[in-house]
């Protein structure tokens, strides 16, 4: 009798836990976060700043000035292959900055370290999506942030080695200023 009671209580508890778990799966899907043109610009700049701040101080050539990111100006670009419906053209905001590196810095190691930190510590997805890297020769992988900003890191030679950080916002419509779900990932 006692065994039967324990078995019944355990089964009831398991059914209750299962029911609660399944109830969470049947809820309405989460509404995506929409962005507008200003949020796209600000998000790209914030992404550039976050990455630039992760570059170790001893890797930065302090004889050259770092650009002021708050004054970053770029023209919004068209999101290729994204149908915005009646909302106008699908646009994204491109951001880019250079960080001068010391001659002692190994750019490939620096980029690997940054990609690893952004992936592990910030949860950004690593991607080989050509949309991220197609126009960035020498870049074979990129990152996608949790809010769909795309990032590419590479080195260029301009008055010495420089780390080029590129960040593109998720897509938004130029007419309505509303964001588009999954437009850039």
């Amino acid at each position: 009798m006692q065994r039967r009671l324990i078995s019944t209580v355990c089964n009831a508890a398991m059914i209750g836990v299962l029911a609660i778990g399944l109830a969470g799966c049947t809820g309405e899907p989460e509404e995506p976060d929409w962005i507008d043109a200003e949020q796209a610009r600000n998000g790209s700049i914030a992404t550039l700043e976050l990455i630039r701040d992760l570059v170790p101080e001893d890797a930065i050539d302090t004889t050259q000035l770092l650009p002021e990111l708050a004054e970053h100006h770029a023209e919004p670009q068209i999101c290729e292959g994204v149908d915005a419906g009646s909302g106008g053209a699908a646009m994204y905001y491109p951001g880019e900055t250079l960080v001068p590196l010391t001659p002692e810095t190994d750019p490939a190691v620096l980029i690997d370290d940054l990609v690893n930190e952004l992936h592990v510590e910030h949860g950004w997805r690593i991607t080989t999506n050509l949309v991220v890297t197609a126009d960035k020769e020498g870049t074979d992988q990129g990152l996608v942030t949790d809010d769909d900003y795309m990032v590419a890191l590479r080195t260029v030679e301009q008055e010495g080695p420089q780390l080029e950080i590129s960040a593109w916002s998720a897509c938004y419509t130029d007419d309505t200023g509303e964001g588009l779900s999954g437009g850039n990932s």
Side-chain angles (χ1 to χ4, degrees):
M1 174 75 171
Q2 187 176 12
R3 226 184 221 170
R4 189 178 209 170
L5 182 60
I6 291 173
S7 176
T8 303
V9 169
C10 287
N11 286 340
M14 285 179 28
I15 290 171
V17 168
L18 215 88
I20 290 170
L22 290 176
C25 295
T26 61
E28 291 295 313
E30 234 179 84
E31 236 350 88
D33 291 331
W34 301 114
I35 63 169
D36 61 23
E38 183 177 351
Q39 289 168 320
R41 177 187 181 281
N42 293 340
S44 288
I45 292 171
T47 302
L48 295 174
E49 287 175 338
L50 184 147
I51 297 168
R52 187 172 76 178
D53 289 348
L54 293 176
V55 176
E57 286 183 24
D58 62 347
I60 299 173
D61 180 355
T62 56
T63 64
Q64 298 182 44
L65 292 176
L66 290 175
E68 187 62 46
L69 293 178
E71 297 172 4
H72 185 276
H73 295 289
E75 293 297 316
Q77 303 293 313
I78 294 176
C79 290
E80 298 293 331
V82 176
D83 181 14
S86 62
M91 309 294 286
Y92 70 93
Y93 187 86
E96 195 168 276
T97 193
L98 294 172
V99 177
L101 301 175
T102 63
E104 300 80 31
T105 300
D106 183 338
V109 170
L110 174 64
I111 289 172
D112 284 346
D113 290 347
L114 288 170
V115 167
N116 186 52
E117 182 171 354
L118 292 165
H119 175 64
V120 173
E121 300 296 323
H122 296 273
W124 295 4
R125 299 181 312 272
I126 296 175
T127 181
T128 55
N129 181 340
L130 293 180
V131 172
V132 177
T133 60
D135 66 338
K136 299 294 175 188
E137 186 177 319
T139 307
D140 60 1
Q141 68 181 5
L143 294 156
V144 180
T145 69
D146 53 1
D147 50 357
D148 292 328
Y149 283 77
M150 299 175 86
V151 172
L153 304 172
R154 71 179 184 133
T155 54
V156 295
E157 284 292 326
Q158 289 183 1
E159 301 174 25
Q162 306 234 0
L163 172 65
E164 182 184 81
I165 306 168
S166 301
W168 299 273
S169 73
C171 294
Y172 63 90
T173 59
D174 64 343
D175 288 349
T176 63
E178 291 181 350
L180 298 172
S181 178
N184 223 9
S185 56

